Amino acid sequence: MMPMITPSRALIGFLLALSLVPVFAAQFTVTLVNYIGLYALVALGLVLLTGIGGLTSFGQAAFVGLGAYATAYLTTRHGMSPWGTLIVGMAITTAVSLALGFITLRLSGHFLPLGTIAWGISLYFLFGNLEALGGHGGIDGIPPVDLFGLELGSSRGFFYVIWATLLAAIVTTQNMLDSREGRAMRCLRSMTMTEAMGINTLWYRMVLFMIAAQFACVSGWLYAHLQRFVNPTPFSLGHGIEYLFMAVLGGAAAVWGAVFGATAVTFLKEWLQDVLPKLLGVAGNFEMVVFGLLTILVLHRARDGLWPILMRFIPQREQVKTVEPALPLPRRDVLACGSEVLKVVKVTKRFGGLVANNSMSLSVRAGEVMALIGPNGAGKSTLFNCISGVNPPTTGEIRFMGQRIDALNSREIAKLGMSRTFQHVRLNQDMTVLENAAIGAHLRGRKNFVQSAWRLDREEERRLLWEAAHQLQRCGLGEHLFDAAGSLPLGKQRIVEIARALCSDPTLLLLDEPAAGLRHLEKKALAELLAKLRAEGMAILLVEHDMDFVMGLADRVVVMEFGEHLAEGLPQEIQTNPKVLEAYLGGVEA
Ligand code: ADP
Ligand code: MG
């Protein structure tokens, strides 16, 4: 009987076969696998950048060139040791990537890829035109790397350096993605939500960009010492595009997709180069034509690349489905019940000619549920966006625990202790319910991406996940911790958003239509939860259409119509207020 393939067996088999390549394989194959390792390292950076961060870069080859030229120049012209030049190369790459990232990562849509093309071209021409770098002729005579006195001049010896580097990069990347930092990175596509959870999205884009650039730089350094000669050709825009192909064809959502993509593209091109001239009977670079067509086919048929397809043939490991108990996270001071938490004074919000909020005022106290009601389009969500800094007011004043916040951005406001949910659910549908909730606890962790890459964040990570599990349990989602958020019905997804908001330990909670899509018993449970939070001293501002829900729960109600303050009072008063009844067309229903 064939032994069953499992992920760990597949990995062990792969590593074993890999380690034997330099021992048994022909020189040609060793060289090819060396190059696969170098390509995969660059593609791994693109998995982070593109697959995780949603940023497309065509310019990675230029960073490979930075690493390669830094060591070529410094070892041959200044006699520096290769290990020294590696550090210098990485320092240069850090500086260049931060500078380029600072400019280009603020661009949106197609401007970002265009930006990467622009600097990809500039750096390429810089390499070719600088006399000190040997111009188009390049630099030769690059010394081999020596490791503990062992000179790694042969491509067989260097094989282990290349692949050990790649594997280390894969492991640290995987660690990083499976952490607080990684969760933030995986949510970068949903910028509004991520910022509202207190996460600095520009910073995380910069980090991803810098890591991808470092991987490319190290690949370039390895390349220079493998080849012992550099010229500008391998660092052109064309190669930058090829790296992107490798990542996307392999599967940009998984770190192993990079290795698979680099392998598939390299072997495929070699093979096509071999068979096409024979098949066609003429010599020429037809492999690029066929390669291009195949790429289109794969992207058409398998948008997520080839890796997920391969994984279908390997039974996946049972996910660990427990959350380890840990110490609770420190909490904010609770305000005395009745003290004013939020004060909105004459807030006006204009969208061009449309006045969505017109001189709106309201206040919310600690230990109070304040309901904001009004017909669709009245401007309730707009007011939420003003209060939470998602879309700041045009004029007016907003104070949160006495401090003016109308000029702060949503990230700064989240830090002060306000958290919110969205009328249109904003979850990462592919992440688990637990991971989604843990995003809300982001600000309660401190460990950075280097610490998570090296697993120095485990204690904190346990505490964050424990908090997320606890909040989800409170919200009645204890059975769904490990389900993909997208697999839940929409009503439950809204509750995940509430748990996520609670993970930040907020003083003020803003809920935009939390009961929409819930069944009767679920609404009842939600009302009980909110009543409990109120009893603990939390301030809650709530937009809701279900009048039974609102009237049964709220302490005070504010009614909006056409962006304006229509009425305010106790639930009973609102229910009998003639103005309100008229606004609701003769009945309290919506
Ligand atoms: P509610 O939440 O009470 O249903 P909204 O606050 O969503 O109402 O919308 C109030 C008005 O503002 C609507 O007319 C809506 O079309 C408009 N509006 C909301 N957001 C924007 C925006 N970003 N740009 C332009 N108009 C907007
Ligand atoms: Mg709304």
Side-chain angles (χ1 to χ4, degrees):
M1 203 182 85
M2 276 271 287
M4 208 179 60
I5 305 178
T6 62
S8 32
R9 281 183 191 155
L11 182 63
I12 291 170
F14 170 73
L15 293 179
L16 206 65
L18 192 68
S19 64
L20 293 177
V21 168
V23 184
F24 294 110
Q27 181 59 42
F28 172 75
T29 313
V30 177
T31 305
L32 208 60
V33 181
N34 270 337
Y35 277 102
I36 290 174
L38 296 179
Y39 297 152
L41 190 54
V42 186
L44 180 64
L46 280 170
V47 163
L48 276 178
L49 209 53
T50 307
I52 307 296
L55 307 162
T56 312
S57 166
F58 292 97
Q60 294 310 102
F63 288 119
V64 182
L66 269 186
Y69 267 103
T71 193
Y73 176 75
L74 292 171
T75 52
T76 57
R77 309 284 150 89
H78 296 279
M80 254 178 104
S81 98
W83 297 111
T85 62
L86 177 60
I87 293 169
V88 175
M90 290 176 83
I92 296 174
T93 304
T94 306
V96 173
S97 63
L98 286 181
L100 286 176
F102 193 73
I103 305 166
T104 38
L105 293 179
R106 291 163 181 274
L107 304 176
S108 58
H110 55 272
F111 292 109
L112 172 67
L114 284 178
T116 68
I117 291 175
W119 52 253
I121 294 176
S122 326
L123 282 173
Y124 168 70
F125 280 100
L126 187 71
F127 299 141
N129 285 302
L130 275 185
E131 223 23 73
L133 299 180
H136 285 282
I139 301 175
D140 59 9
I142 301 170
V145 172
D146 86 65
L147 188 64
F148 308 120
L150 188 72
E151 196 171 273
L152 298 166
S154 80
S155 62
R156 283 178 201 269
F158 209 51
F159 178 96
Y160 293 106
V161 178
I162 292 175
W163 279 87
T165 307
L166 175 61
L167 292 173
I170 289 176
V171 171
T172 46
T173 300
Q174 266 175 336
N175 288 348
M176 185 183 74
L177 289 177
D178 174 33
S179 73
R180 161 181 171 270
E181 296 287 275
R183 282 189 293 275
M185 291 168 179
R186 281 144 73 200
C187 287
L188 286 179
R189 284 164 208 255
S190 181
M191 229 159 80
T192 305
M193 178 281 284
T194 315
E195 287 275 334
M197 293 301 128
I199 296 168
N200 185 339
T201 52
L202 181 62
W203 164 249
Y204 281 99
R205 287 202 300 275
M206 295 273 268
V207 168
L208 286 180
F209 188 64
M210 196 179 60
I211 297 173
Q214 296 297 359
F215 285 171
C217 160
V218 173
S219 173
W221 179 86
L222 290 164
Y223 169 84
H225 291 285
L226 173 71
Q227 197 75 0
R228 316 274 289 276
F229 160 76
V230 293
N231 72 6
T233 314
F235 314 125
S236 67
L237 186 62
H239 286 83
I241 294 173
E242 210 160 290
Y243 287 126
L244 194 57
F245 271 145
M246 289 177 187
V248 173
L249 280 182
V255 292
W256 285 98
V259 182
F260 192 62
T263 311
V265 168
T266 309
F267 273 114
L268 186 69
K269 271 175 53 186
E270 276 304 318
W271 180 71
L272 288 174
Q273 229 163 31
D274 259 10
V275 300
L276 283 181
K278 285 180 204 152
L279 228 83
L280 300 170
V282 276
N285 286 359
F286 295 107
E287 77 276 1
M288 285 320 286
V289 179
V290 178
F291 176 73
L293 293 175
L294 280 175
T295 305
I296 293 172
L297 189 76
V298 172
L299 291 182
H300 186 68
R301 292 269 141 190
R303 308 201 97 203
D304 298 328
L306 296 169
W307 181 254
I309 297 178
L310 182 74
M311 279 302 99
R312 275 189 225 151
F313 297 100
I314 300 180
Q316 292 303 296
R317 200 178 303 150
E318 256 311 293
Q319 207 187 2
V320 184
K321 289 198 173 165
T322 52
V323 183
E324 278 180 62
L327 281 176
L329 293 165
R331 298 199 53 182
R332 270 179 234 279
D333 296 333
V334 180
L335 297 185
C337 273
S339 51
E340 193 171 68
V341 173
L342 179 75
K343 192 169 174 63
V344 175
V345 186
K346 294 192 173 158
V347 161
T348 295
K349 177 70 185 176
R350 290 197 184 88
F351 295 111
L354 182 105
V355 187
N357 285 168
N358 190 7
S359 198
M360 268 302 294
S361 299
L362 59 79
S363 70
V364 188
R365 303 184 201 120
E368 170 184 61
V369 174
M370 166 66 106
L372 179 61
I373 64 169
N376 271 326
K380 306 177 296 292
S381 296
T382 302
L383 187 62
F384 265 35
N385 287 343
C386 289
I387 295 170
S388 61
V390 164
N391 206 343
T394 315
T395 58
E397 187 180 315
I398 303 175
R399 285 182 185 274
F400 180 50
M401 297 194 290
Q403 183 181 343
R404 264 201 78 165
I405 57 163
D406 43 78
L408 300 184
N409 62 37
S410 61
R411 196 170 71 234
E412 293 159 334
I413 294 175
K415 279 195 190 118
L416 297 176
M418 187 191 301
S419 200
R420 65 167 294 175
T421 65
F422 293 88
Q423 182 180 348
H424 303 289
V425 169
R426 292 173 194 252
L427 296 171
N428 180 329
Q429 304 276 321
D430 300 323
M431 288 192 342
T432 63
V433 167
L434 182 70
E435 289 174 308
N436 268 293
I439 287 283
H442 186 88
L443 287 175
R444 299 170 82 183
R446 292 279 166 275
K447 302 288 186 206
N448 62 35
F449 68 98
V450 180
Q451 289 166 310
S452 24
W454 295 101
R455 283 284 190 239
L456 301 172
D457 64 336
R458 291 297 95 179
E459 171 59 25
E460 180 184 282
E461 174 73 357
R462 270 194 296 277
R463 293 177 75 179
L464 293 173
L465 291 181
W466 185 242
E467 171 74 12
H470 167 67
Q471 297 300 350
L472 284 162
Q473 227 119 34
R474 278 181 106 180
C475 296
L477 290 170
E479 286 173 13
H480 297 289
L481 299 187
F482 299 97
D483 295 346
S487 72
L488 261 50
L490 207 57
K492 285 212 165 94
Q493 292 192 24
R494 294 174 168 284
I495 306 292
V496 177
E497 286 216 342
I498 298 178
R500 183 178 66 196
L502 290 178
C503 280
S504 70
D505 185 27
T507 306
L508 172 66
L509 187 60
L510 305 181
L511 304 175
D512 201 344
E513 303 195 14
L518 291 188
R519 288 191 296 248
H520 179 67
L521 284 180
E522 292 171 329
K523 280 186 189 175
K524 217 172 133 225
L526 176 63
E528 279 163 19
L529 172 70
L530 297 183
K532 190 152 175 284
L533 293 171
R534 163 174 61 191
E536 288 170 13
M538 198 178 282
I540 300 173
L541 178 60
L542 167 95
V543 165
E544 187 46 63
H545 282 300
D546 183 322
M547 285 305 138
D548 288 337
F549 185 88
V550 168
M551 297 306 169
L553 179 69
D555 299 295
R556 288 189 298 148
V557 182
V558 169
V559 189
M560 272 183 95
E561 196 190 21
F562 304 125
E564 293 186 7
H565 188 285
L566 183 71
E568 180 169 346
L570 302 173
Q572 314 81 285
E573 295 167 1
I574 293 297
Q575 274 167 310
T576 52
N577 183 320
K579 275 200 288 183
V580 178
L581 292 178
E582 196 185 50
Y584 277 92
L585 294 170
V588 183
E589 62 183 18

